[in-house]
Amino acid sequence: MDIKDKWIYFAAPLFTAAERQFNETLALYIEQAGFAVYLPQKECAKISKSAEIYTQCLKGLDNAWCVVAVVDGCDTDSGTSFEIGYAYAKGIPVIGVRTDFRQNADDGHLNLMLSQSIAMLCFVNSLEDASIDTVARCVKEKINALLIKVLK
């Protein structure tokens, strides 16, 4: 796969100030590691029509070499779940990011369909280490490991 002109699509809930700030910060860490990131909350900020946002996000997914998806919560955000399924169907590998301390690191206790669609899970227990630095380090390690697999 030629990833030279592709980016990492960042799938995550984006409805609260805290979610948007987490997304922006983690995306910035990924960019500082040398990867282009497609962040829907940024890329679609000036679009007001739902159909146009949908189309723009699908274009973003179609040009991604991988997806980083935040899968926190009892149920993963429905839009993020769709993006994971879409990526899986297109053969685009997904790295799940989970910081929810209510779950364990073995499989994240994700919905079966999501857990089977995710190539790698980055689990950081937020009770043990709530820093964004630790989450970013884990995500970068998973991206680099996936990159090695994709380039083989």
Side-chain angles (χ1 to χ4, degrees):
M1 171 190 286
D2 183 17
I3 66 162
K4 177 177 64 170
D5 298 321
K6 295 185 177 271
W7 49 59
I8 295 171
Y9 185 96
F10 195 99
L14 46 71
F15 303 102
T16 68
E19 290 168 340
R20 294 174 72 82
Q21 183 177 10
F22 180 84
N23 300 347
E24 289 170 8
T25 303
L26 189 52
L28 181 60
Y29 275 90
I30 296 168
E31 288 172 341
Q32 289 172 344
F35 299 98
V37 177
Y38 186 98
L39 184 62
Q41 69 193 48
K42 178 181 168 188
E43 300 296 333
C44 298
K46 296 185 191 288
I47 303 172
S48 60
K49 294 183 180 179
S50 297
E52 291 176 18
I53 293 171
Y54 174 80
T55 301
Q56 185 67 26
C57 287
L58 288 186
K59 286 179 184 175
L61 280 163
D62 287 337
N63 199 37
W65 73 269
C66 83
V67 172
V68 169
V70 176
V71 292
D72 279 337
C74 294
D75 282 318
T76 300
D77 171 70
S78 57
T80 303
S81 295
F82 171 84
E83 290 161 324
I84 291 169
Y86 185 89
Y88 181 82
K90 292 284 206 167
I92 303 166
V94 178
I95 298 168
V97 178
R98 190 158 183 85
T99 65
D100 194 329
F101 70 84
R102 295 173 290 183
Q103 310 302 324
N104 67 38
D106 297 334
D107 65 2
H109 285 223
L110 295 172
N111 169 288
L112 173 67
M113 301 306 282
L114 292 178
S115 70
Q116 297 302 301
S117 299
I118 292 173
M120 297 179 175
L121 180 64
C122 177
F123 178 78
V124 177
N125 184 328
S126 61
L127 282 180
E128 295 170 8
D129 187 349
S131 82
I132 189 74
D133 293 328
T134 301
V135 176
R137 249 188 327 276
C138 181
V139 169
K140 288 186 278 189
E141 287 171 10
K142 299 294 183 185
I143 291 170
N144 286 324
L146 185 59
L147 186 58
I148 290 167
K149 283 184 176 183
V150 168
L151 294 177
K152 279 187 176 182

